Amino acid sequence: QVQLVESGGGSVQAGGSLRLSCTASRRTFSSNAMGWFRQPPGKERELVAAISSPDSSDDPSTYVAASVKGRFTISRDNAKARVYLRINRLKTGGTAVYLCAARNSSTWRGLYEYWGQGTQVTVSA
């Protein structure tokens, strides 16, 4: 089972930037596609970005939701067993709990089975 821990959340002004990090258990990390979800207060959870594992031949190997495309970038560092979410030009609508998730598959397409505890991002006007 994959263990996930997020960090990097906090309070920022609109227009600012953040980089969220998710650290996974090293023994399984390279086999898992990874995703970032967010859930604003009172709204449904949505997938905002995902990335395939090195075992996948997916082309493209990443996914970014249309609502955040051009502002969000996902990347991974397999040596450090980490996945990152770079968020630029934050909007007030970006206020949410951001969660890291993993799949028992190399491809980012599909349901996610393992979840971190979440990290809060609060954007002020």
Side-chain angles (χ1 to χ4, degrees):
Q1 186 168 331
V2 179
Q3 305 293 320
L4 305 171
V5 180
E6 304 99 330
S7 64
S11 298
V12 298
Q13 291 182 299
S17 299
L18 283 175
R19 188 178 74 162
L20 307 183
S21 298
C22 174
T23 301
S25 54
R26 288 183 176 272
R27 63 184 180 274
T28 60
F29 181 75
S30 294
S31 298
N32 300 105
M34 304 294 296
W36 283 99
F37 293 74
R38 70 179 180 184
Q39 187 166 22
K43 298 182 179 180
E44 67 184 54
R45 184 177 296 175
E46 65 172 339
L47 176 67
V48 294
I51 186 167
S52 299
S53 82
D55 300 329
S56 174
S57 59
D58 287 348
D59 186 16
S61 60
T62 61
Y63 164 81
V64 180
S67 60
V68 301
K69 195 169 187 178
R71 298 187 295 112
F72 285 29
T73 303
I74 190 169
S75 62
R76 64 192 296 160
D77 185 333
N78 295 305
K80 296 180 179 179
R82 286 185 179 180
V83 62
Y84 303 97
L85 186 68
R86 166 61 70 181
I87 309 174
N88 292 326
R89 292 182 283 117
L90 273 162
K91 302 176 180 180
T92 54
T95 294
V97 174
Y98 285 72
L99 302 107
C100 179
R103 300 191 65 222
N104 277 330
S105 176
S106 62
T107 179
W108 58 262
R109 298 175 179 86
L111 298 178
Y112 287 75
E113 300 155 292
Y114 308 107
W115 298 85
Q117 82 287 354
T119 185
Q120 177 71 44
V121 173
T122 302
V123 185
S124 61

